[in-house]
Amino acid sequence: MMGAMTGPLDAISWPVRTERLTLRPATPDDVEATWRFRRLDVVSRWLTRAPGDLEAFRSHFEEPDRLAKTLVVELDGVVVGDLMLQVDDAWAQAEVAERAHGVQAELGWVLHPDHAGHGYATEAVRELIRLCFEVLGLRRVTANCFADNDASWRLMERVGMRREAYTVRESLHRSGEWLDGMGYALLADE
Ligand SMILES: CC(C)(COP(=O)(O)OP(=O)(O)OC[C@H]1O[C@@H](n2cnc3c(N)ncnc32)[C@H](O)[C@@H]1OP(=O)(O)O)[C@@H](O)C(=O)NCCC(=O)NCCS
């Protein structure tokens, strides 16, 4: 298996186990397992990209910047989902910008629909948030979704994130429609 991690996630000792799941950095070898659920319309309909075939997916999946922020979620040794953990700078005024470097993370998640409805995404994301705050020492985590993506914003609320933004027809969906969006966040001291 090729090691692919470079960046903030190196600070975490992998794999990380939860009650039912194992989280670990994605490697190029995970492309086919990940494609099994990302290829499904019910999944890709909400995602930034919907590649037409495995090769198109692979070329994006293998980009070092993308791999470096991607984790996979295993259930009984099988990859059933993936997570994004992208460490970002907070907005800051110029004089204090240095103190705002790398202090927050944007999170993302995908679960194979065959495994929906058992709380696996909740379990994985709760652990991801714990890692962000307790191991990486970040001060804030955020996540965004289309407002119509009920499963995703319900997950954000289950893990205790707060709805901080509701944006009106600001995001263009590949259907051609401009859709509403929502932004959620949680602070470490909450
Ligand atoms: C968003 C997504 C990850 C949520 O998956 P999910 O299966 O709804 O979430 P969980 O795995 O946490 O399961 C929660 C469900 O299991 C139930 N559940 C059962 N046991 C549970 C447990 N131990 N803990 C928590 N929930 C449990 C919950 O009640 C909930 O059911 P409900 O939706 O009927 O209320 C999934 O819908 C998905 O991958 N969507 C496509 C990709 C996507 O949109 N990604 C986000 C882009 S912004």
Side-chain angles (χ1 to χ4, degrees):
M1 200 157 61
M2 284 170 63
M5 300 300 297
T6 50
L9 300 194
D10 289 341
I12 297 169
S13 160
W14 304 104
V16 168
R17 292 184 212 287
T18 65
E19 197 184 329
R20 299 175 293 177
L21 306 169
T22 300
L23 314 186
R24 61 166 174 82
T27 79
D29 292 344
D30 294 313
V31 67
E32 288 179 25
T34 310
W35 176 241
R36 266 179 222 126
F37 47 87
R38 284 200 166 236
R39 70 198 294 269
L40 305 173
D41 290 341
V42 287
V43 173
S44 66
R45 104 183 247 227
W46 298 120
L47 301 181
T48 307
R49 283 180 183 73
D53 57 35
L54 173 61
E55 288 321 305
F57 179 63
R58 187 192 306 277
S59 63
H60 172 62
F61 187 87
E62 287 182 349
E63 284 168 16
D65 286 356
R66 185 181 187 281
L67 269 183
K69 60 184 183 184
T70 304
L71 306 176
V72 291
V73 179
E74 291 180 346
L75 173 68
D76 299 329
V78 176
V79 175
V80 296
D82 65 75
L83 303 170
M84 178 185 83
L85 197 177
Q86 176 172 297
V87 176
D88 291 322
D89 300 340
W91 188 86
Q93 290 187 309
E95 298 77 12
V96 287
E98 221 163 272
R99 282 171 41 200
H101 283 166
V103 294
Q104 62 186 27
E106 182 179 347
L107 309 182
W109 37 72
V110 178
L111 180 72
H112 194 309
D114 283 358
H115 298 283
H118 299 284
Y120 293 133
T122 304
E123 187 171 320
V125 172
R126 280 207 177 110
E127 181 61 18
L128 189 63
I129 292 173
R130 191 194 69 79
L131 292 168
C132 285
F133 292 150
E134 292 182 18
V135 182
L136 298 181
L138 302 178
R139 63 177 304 281
R140 183 169 180 260
V141 295
T142 65
N144 301 292
C145 67
F146 285 115
D148 288 340
N149 190 352
D150 293 0
S152 192
W153 66 256
R154 285 161 56 102
L155 167 60
M156 299 183 208
E157 297 197 348
R158 269 198 303 280
V159 299
M161 298 180 80
R162 173 185 46 250
R163 186 183 300 176
E164 293 191 339
Y166 188 101
T167 52
V168 178
R169 288 185 311 213
E170 102 302 351
S171 293
L172 182 59
H173 191 268
R174 63 178 70 84
S175 65
E177 262 187 289
W178 287 94
L179 298 183
D180 297 356
M182 296 205 288
Y184 278 73
L186 183 69
L187 292 165
D189 57 18
E190 290 173 320

